[in-house]
Amino acid sequence: MSFDLFPELLCRREFLGWDRPLLPGVVRYFIDQAGETGRLDLSDWICVLPTAQSMLRFGRLLQSAADDQGLDYLAPRITTSGELAELLYQPEAPIAIEFEQTLAWARVLRHRDAESLRPLLPVLPESDAIGPWLELAGTLRRLTADLAAHEVSFADVVSVTDSDAEQARWKLLQELFELYLGELATAGRSDPHQQRRRAIKRKTIRSGRLIALVGTSDLNPSIAKVIAEVERDVVAFIAAPEDKEACFDWLGCLKPDAFAEFQLPLTDDHLVPAGDIADQATAVSEAVTEFASRYQPEQIAVGVTDDSHVAATEMQLDGCGFSTYRHVGWTVASTAVGRLVSLTATLIARPTWRSLAALVRHGDVHRFLLAQLNEPQSDAAQPDYLIPLDQMLANHLPVRLSDPLPPAALKHYPAAEQLRRAVLAWLAPLLPKHLSDGPRPTQPIADWCDRLLHWLDSIYADLGTADLEAAGLGAADATRPDRRLTVEAVAKVRDLLTRFTKLSRHLDAPVTAASALEMITSRLSDLRVGQNQNTDDIQIHGWLDLALDDSPAMVVVGFNHPFVPSAVTSDPFLPGSLRSRLRIADNERRYARDLYATQLLLSTRRDIRMIVGKHSADGTPTPPSRLLSASSPPDVARRIRMLLAGTRDKVNVSHRWDSDRKTTDLPIPEFHPDECPVKSMSVTAFKAYLECPYRFYLRHVLNLKPVDDLARELAANQFGDLVHAAVEHFGESAEKDEADEKRIFESLRHHLHQYAADQYGDHAESAVRLQVRQAERRLHFVAAEQAKRIEQGWRIHATEASVEESKGASITVDGKKMGLRGRFDRIDRNVQTGQWAILDYKTHGHKPEKKHLRKNRDTGQYEWIDLQLPLYRMMVPFLGIEAPPQEVQLGYFNVSDKAEESKINIAEFDEPLMEQAKDLIHQCVLRIFACDFAPSDQGVMYDDYEMILQTGVASRMLAGAAIAEGDNDQ
């Protein structure tokens, strides 16, 4: 008898109904088979499950049932459908791992003439760029696997294509495929799909065990064909009643056509409308809270149709007091070791100070480098290298690690250079000897992976409790979920690297370290790690795991298009129309698969809610799933209207963060010193005190100053320092009395570039170089104004003259002295009239009156907002100027970006205003002596301390919400 004609004779189908979960039903079937023997011997079975999670669950259920019955249990071999085929035959040569298959395709493509590949792609990658070739090779590998899984060859595709161009493309692919197989054979490797075909052809499919297909309703044709060759018995356990047998083929796989008119037992109560991703997570917490009154947490399951739902759902449930376990786990790329590999890949590819700063902030790298940099013999605590590093980056803006740091950076921040050397020494196995722009050395990928293994061990050697204690984390940290994930992720990365060290030498390709790390990084998203599961966790499953879940209560979030059913999107080689002609995994088959899964979700439990949102995590509109159309037209119409209205019954849910407070609980630090901590003040500090005494205390007493280590151009104050340095050094030079405008400019330019080279080096950011040119342009205006000044008889008497408390500079108020400090940009004296002038360089075009005075809207009177020039007058006696203070001119030397604004502006303050300023100075000193450092009620234009004072956007929103609610209450 031919089994080809009667395949149903190969497999016995057991229909267990869909009124109860399938997995417990299969377990009962095996228990019943054991009878009264007291022994459950399944060692002669291979049990095949559709997913890894269902495989683990089935094993636990079998063990638990055997223990409950007191049976002597011998476990079956449990595997997934994707791994079954390779258990049933012996390949002629070792199966190539996926990456080796990709390398074989890349080798074929790169050895072909570019013109012959034109039918494949009109634009091909550069011949020496390995990355794009591997990307194209990966696409062809997946295409080959997709076709082979459905028993379709390249020749089959040629036969159904219409255009000459398409036929040329697929004939070329057939030719390339043969060359690909040849490359694998030369390397002593084989293609898994080709080996399956050969095993079937040679009749070498063997199974020493019986095979149980448990819920495998979506087997691909390739696996089905392998099973058809098995000589042992095959049993398919199907979650459906016997009257639905026409909906399934001989292996228990779905017949898509049979589900075209199928209707779900869906009710309106099953559907819950929601809005964005946050509202969907809230709807989940509401449903779980409702279920928790009837079920234990471990009896409730949450299903997510897309990974983007997981984090928001976890946070909401955690806020409601429910612990969760995500079966989907985390990608290794999102763990500490994944981020380390990614950051290192960035630094190797682009060795800049910015990429170094990102890497050394990684927690594990930070601990490693601190141990490397600290002196072993020293008992004193070493300062954290991040502080000088950030300050150096903010103040000197270096770019490439290969360029020497500017002299000023080396002088003030030697720790940054020490850090650079330590990092480069640590990464030496992955870096070229010289970090120049020349060609990078190449090695086979296997060799790079061997180096990466040793590099990884340098920071994660023997990771575990002992290692954590040595790193200063303590034994308790060994059980922290994040550290446990790190341990598991390191093991996964080590395993990946170890496998890649064994790549076939024939297939391996010489690449740079940057390319090798990029390849490794891209594969970390395919590896997953999980947490330890507690008995009372609410389990979060992916969509494909839900059909066989046996929880009595379930919430499914994201019952929307395009998540369920997932659509076959546009494919560069297999568009939807071509897939339909070839009958391979088209949208009709996925619709049938997900429709059947939804049927099982609805029929195997009493309590289920399906959250139908309006937007995905990225804000994209998500219509309701088209599975909702599997109902009568009136029901469909009513439900769509209900879901689009977006209203649902209110459920009271308590969160840990619920509170009657309308503002943040974070306290604003208060300062109550026993005695005045301010003994002397700089001239500019008075302005800061007038703006806000609290911020004055933060900046001038506690020395809290912002550092922007991400800046790529000079800040306003740095640009001002650049201009100031040029004019200051000019005022100290031999050319300070020069009358010729051109010579004045040449001297100014010389001092400008000298300062820029000292501060920013010869390899600064392009934006910084542009700003130096902008400063140079302004110095043209300065030169013109200075030439006029010389002609009028003015000469520079002093530059950066200083006044300090040690020289007697102070203010006495109520018998107490407040020391004064100040540096004067420029003091001029007119050699013709004897007149004196004190000038302050400003890189804007405003007159002194505008910057010092503000008109009070209520009184119409001018008020002082800056006391710089009045304080200058008070300091005249300490400068050695032999003139009454009121006769000394005070003003700005404006260095604007406009020629007409770049000039000397003498302040025109009348004596009553100056007396008012003097009184205000005394008031400020009195308040400081009284330790008055309360925050100002008025806002500050450029606030560096909004996080401390909570004046940022979030705090304003909270305050606004509180005010609005108060208005509503009234």
Side-chain angles (χ1 to χ4, degrees), residues 177 185 208 254 259 322 364 485 631 745 778 790 890 927 929 964:
F177 178 67
L254 301 171
F259 286 86
F322 298 107
D364 297 323
L485 284 177
S631 297
F745 171 72
R778 295 193 185 200
I790 292 294
L890 306 171
R927 291 176 61 190
F929 282 150

Side-chain angles (χ1 to χ4, degrees), residues 601-834:
L601 299 185
L602 295 169
S603 60
T604 57
R605 57 186 46 81
R606 184 177 64 184
D607 288 312
I608 183 169
R609 299 288 183 272
M610 299 197 174
I611 313 299
V612 184
K614 290 184 178 180
H615 295 90
S616 64
D618 63 1
T620 304
T622 53
S625 169
R626 62 191 181 103
L627 296 178
L628 294 181
S629 63
S631 297
S632 66
D635 287 342
V636 174
R638 183 181 67 258
R639 288 165 187 162
I640 295 298
R641 288 169 61 94
M642 175 191 74
L643 293 171
L644 292 179
T647 58
R648 62 178 184 269
D649 294 337
K650 181 67 175 176
V651 177
N652 290 324
V653 177
S654 298
H655 295 91
R656 289 187 291 104
W657 52 74
D658 289 343
S659 171
D660 294 333
R661 293 185 177 89
K662 304 303 179 183
T663 58
T664 173
D665 285 337
L666 292 174
I668 297 176
E670 297 181 0
F671 307 121
H672 302 291
D674 295 331
E675 61 180 29
C676 179
V678 183
K679 305 303 180 185
S680 66
M681 294 179 64
S682 67
V683 171
T684 54
F686 280 86
K687 179 184 178 183
Y689 189 84
L690 287 176
E691 286 182 340
C692 176
Y694 189 92
R695 292 174 174 85
F696 162 86
Y697 192 94
L698 293 175
R699 180 177 292 271
H700 295 280
V701 178
L702 300 183
N703 290 317
L704 293 182
K705 298 175 184 178
V707 175
D708 184 7
D709 61 306
L710 296 178
R712 306 190 71 165
E713 63 181 18
L714 301 182
N717 64 311
Q718 290 175 308
F719 184 78
D721 291 342
L722 182 69
V723 174
H724 272 68
V727 293
E728 172 193 341
H729 293 149
F730 167 79
E732 296 171 344
S733 69
E735 295 84 10
K736 66 178 184 178
D737 295 332
E738 178 61 57
D740 182 73
E741 179 180 337
K742 183 177 290 187
R743 292 179 181 174
I744 294 173
F745 171 72
E746 289 300 326
S747 178
L748 287 168
R749 184 171 65 174
H750 166 73
H751 293 298
L752 171 72
H753 287 281
Q754 189 177 55
Y755 176 84
D758 183 61
Q759 293 292 320
Y760 309 111
D762 298 327
H763 308 279
E765 291 272 8
S766 56
V768 175
R769 296 197 297 271
L770 179 61
Q771 287 176 298
V772 173
R773 295 293 299 274
Q774 291 173 335
E776 186 178 309
R777 178 175 175 270
R778 295 193 185 200
L779 294 180
H780 276 290
F781 309 148
V782 173
E785 185 68 15
Q786 176 64 20
K788 294 178 185 176
R789 188 79 169 165
I790 292 294
E791 186 178 351
Q792 294 168 359
W794 291 96
R795 300 292 183 270
I796 298 176
H797 173 75
T799 299
E800 292 296 311
S802 63
V803 168
E804 300 174 1
E805 185 181 11
S806 60
K807 297 179 181 179
S810 63
I811 300 174
T812 302
V813 181
D814 289 348
K816 297 175 65 176
K817 284 188 177 183
M818 173 67 75
L820 290 179
R821 306 186 309 276
R823 295 181 69 86
F824 298 81
D825 288 348
R826 174 166 166 169
I827 300 175
D828 282 6
R829 186 172 188 272
N830 194 305
V831 296
Q832 299 173 3
T833 65

Side-chain angles (χ1 to χ4, degrees), residues 289-318:
T289 300
E290 177 194 347
F291 290 160
S293 63
R294 302 191 295 275
Y295 300 99
Q296 294 299 314
E298 64 271 19
Q299 295 179 297
I300 305 171
V302 174
V304 294
T305 59
D306 187 72
D307 284 355
S308 62
H309 295 104
V310 176
T313 300
E314 279 183 325
M315 185 178 71
Q316 271 290 337
L317 292 176
D318 178 65

